[in-house]
Amino acid sequence: MERAIDYLRSHVTQRISVTDLAAMAGLSNSHFAALFKGHTGLAVLNYQTQLRMASARELLDTTTQPVEMIAHSVGYEDSFYFARQFKKIHGLTPSVYRKHDRG
């Protein structure tokens, strides 16, 4: 599991499938997914989203990059979708998060 987690962390901008990770681990998709969730407490997609959002928060806190550029930096082609995902997880849009954190 640690190898899969490291892989996800080092490829945060890419969408990695359960199939790819399971193949790396030499396990079936369902067995890998169950082990991953047992190890991290999250499904692979949710874990991947959390990694992306952590990277986005760091960029919002430490740079003046526009939200659209941050969205692309963390693997979202659609900045509006990124903003919706960010708000769903954090309760604030990226712009409001940035103002709140710095204000």
Side-chain angles (χ1 to χ4, degrees):
M1 286 302 113
E2 291 305 319
R3 185 173 163 215
I5 290 168
D6 288 342
Y7 188 81
L8 286 169
R9 286 183 179 151
S10 64
H11 295 86
V12 72
T13 62
Q14 299 171 2
R15 176 76 67 188
I16 311 296
S17 71
V18 173
T19 301
D20 293 337
L21 294 171
M24 286 174 42
L27 300 169
S28 70
N29 291 358
S30 59
H31 191 209
F32 177 83
L35 289 175
F36 189 91
K37 188 168 186 173
H39 187 76
T40 64
L42 296 169
V44 174
L45 180 60
N46 292 343
Y47 187 84
Q48 204 170 30
T49 299
Q50 292 296 327
L51 288 175
R52 287 176 166 185
M53 291 301 146
S55 293
R57 284 191 314 272
E58 183 177 342
L59 290 170
L60 288 165
D61 291 342
T62 61
T63 72
T64 58
Q65 290 180 7
V67 171
E68 183 177 352
M69 191 177 240
I70 290 173
H72 291 285
S73 296
V74 298
Y76 287 90
E77 292 181 25
D78 182 343
S79 60
F80 294 109
Y81 179 71
F82 162 74
R84 284 193 309 272
Q85 288 294 103
F86 192 94
K87 185 174 183 177
K88 180 179 171 183
I89 291 170
H90 300 295
L92 303 167
T93 65
S95 298
V96 172
Y97 172 87
R98 176 178 267 165
K99 287 177 188 173
H100 183 266
D101 187 54
R102 292 188 179 170

